[in-house]
């Protein structure tokens, strides 16, 4: 379920040190997407540009730190069993999982990854990477060009646009 709007608004305002309306004159109450670490809201910039604002869930850093601490403790307990230690390196697994998860909470790193991905596919006309709106990005907030059209699993809508789902699947596979 999405985080409460009030908490999301407070977090965005803290990221930019000003009222939400000064940043995004329109910011939808209902997110266009919600996942375990972040949620995305449709919004407009002052010049009317339609954007999507991805916001880390308020308090997610504390929740993730708590979960990682619990998992580390479980790994310590499991390491007491020789048959488990022989089959896998739990310390290495935990180290890699922690590093990867912490990176997921870094919107600046995500911004850099989006730019790298865009460069990597710059010459592919079938791949559209949303433009990052740098002036509206912060530690817990990432703002992107709104490229939402049709959801990939909406077969009827794809067909109405003349898009062959099999072609989409083949391109994604490639």
């Amino acid at each position: 379920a999405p985080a409460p709007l009030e908490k999301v608004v407070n977090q965005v305002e803290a990221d930019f040190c000003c009222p939400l309306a000064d940043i995004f004159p329109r910011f939808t109450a209902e997110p266009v997407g919600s996942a375990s670490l972040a949620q995305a809201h449709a919004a407009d910039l002052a010049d009317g540009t339609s954007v999507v604002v991805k916001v880390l869930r308020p308090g997610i850093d504390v929740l993730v730190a708590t979960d990682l601490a619990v998992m580390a403790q479980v790994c310590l307990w499991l390491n007491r069993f020789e048959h488990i230690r022989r089959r896998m390196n739990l310390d290495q697994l935990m180290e890699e999982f922690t590093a990867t998860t912490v990176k997921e909470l870094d919107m600046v790193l995500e911004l850099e990854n989006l730019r790298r991905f865009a460069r990597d596919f710059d010459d592919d006309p079938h791949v559209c990477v949303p433009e990052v709106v740098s002036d509206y990005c912060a530690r817990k907030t990432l703002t992107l060009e709104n490229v939402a059209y049709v959801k990939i699993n909406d077969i009827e809508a794809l067909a109405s646009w003349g898009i062959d789902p099999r072609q989409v699947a083949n391109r994604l596979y490639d």
Side-chain angles (χ1 to χ4, degrees):
L5 180 63
E6 180 183 341
K7 290 184 177 187
V8 171
V9 168
N10 289 342
Q11 183 161 290
V12 173
E13 290 177 342
D15 251 356
F16 293 102
C17 301
C18 64
L20 182 72
D22 290 353
I23 312 162
F24 305 108
R26 181 183 71 88
F27 189 91
T28 60
E30 283 296 311
V32 293
S34 178
S36 57
L37 301 178
Q39 60 192 56
H41 292 263
D44 289 339
L45 302 178
D47 67 2
T49 302
S50 179
V51 294
V52 172
V53 182
K54 182 176 179 180
V55 183
L56 286 177
R57 287 181 171 277
I60 194 65
D61 47 348
V62 174
L63 182 60
V64 166
T66 303
D67 288 349
L68 290 173
V70 169
M71 290 174 63
Q73 185 62 51
V74 170
C75 286
L76 281 173
W77 293 335
L78 291 173
N79 269 329
R80 293 179 181 171
F81 299 98
E82 185 178 345
H83 67 281
I84 292 176
R85 276 195 319 270
R86 277 187 279 124
R87 297 184 112 187
M88 68 180 71
N89 184 336
L90 288 173
D91 295 331
Q92 184 179 15
L93 178 68
M94 190 63 211
E95 184 179 317
E96 179 67 22
F97 185 78
T98 298
T100 302
T101 303
V102 168
K103 285 179 183 177
E104 290 288 322
L105 298 176
D106 186 343
M107 289 290 123
V108 174
L109 182 59
E110 184 161 344
L111 180 150
E112 292 167 9
N113 287 336
L114 273 166
R115 287 184 174 149
R116 188 185 77 230
F117 189 82
R119 283 191 308 272
D120 289 349
F121 289 93
D122 193 38
D123 60 346
D124 188 332
H126 300 112
V127 176
C128 175
V129 180
E131 289 284 327
V132 174
V133 187
S134 301
D135 291 343
Y136 297 89
C137 294
R139 197 169 80 80
K140 296 182 178 185
T141 308
L142 182 66
T143 302
L144 307 166
E145 163 192 24
N146 188 347
V147 294
Y149 293 100
V150 174
K151 289 193 181 232
I152 197 166
N153 62 350
D154 189 344
I155 305 301
E156 288 179 18
L158 289 172
S160 74
W161 282 45
I163 299 170
D164 180 358
R166 290 171 300 202
Q167 257 188 334
V168 173
N170 287 333
R171 286 192 178 138
L172 282 172
Y173 179 79
D174 288 343

